[in-house]
Amino acid sequence: QVQLVESGGGSVQAGGSLRLSCAASRYTYSSYCMGWFRQAPGKEREGVAFIDSDSRTRYGDSVKGRFTISQDNSKNTLYLEMNSLKPEDTAMYYCAARAPGFCTYVFPANFAYWGRGTQVTVSS
């Protein structure tokens, strides 16, 4: 069982920045995929950014060039650096993990472990 706890959400004005963190309980899978999804009210959960155990990354089209995903394996922590935030980035952001496996498929159904989410609100 993998436990995930997000932090770092908040309110910011358009153009601002936030950094989300996801602390993961220790696990010993040789391969994994971790990432961030977001869900705004009335919308489907959307994949934002993903990173695997080989540090390969994938990004959703709407965040490419603005968001950066990274991981600190010594701290078992996943990060999402969000820059140039827009009002349309407003959503609940969820950390997710699948193990074993890589980020070949990044739909919500492909991830077994989820955090409870952290709210990001961007005002215009």
Side-chain angles (χ1 to χ4, degrees), residues 75-118:
K75 298 180 180 179
N76 270 19
T77 302
L78 180 72
Y79 301 101
L80 184 67
E81 187 75 35
M82 304 186 294
N83 298 315
S84 302
L85 282 162
K86 304 175 181 180
E88 50 264 44
D89 294 318
T90 296
M92 185 71 79
Y93 282 70
Y94 297 92
C95 177
R98 60 173 296 183
F102 295 100
C103 299
T104 306
Y105 300 102
V106 291
F107 299 103
N110 299 126
F111 291 80
Y113 307 106
W114 292 86
R116 292 189 174 185
T118 185

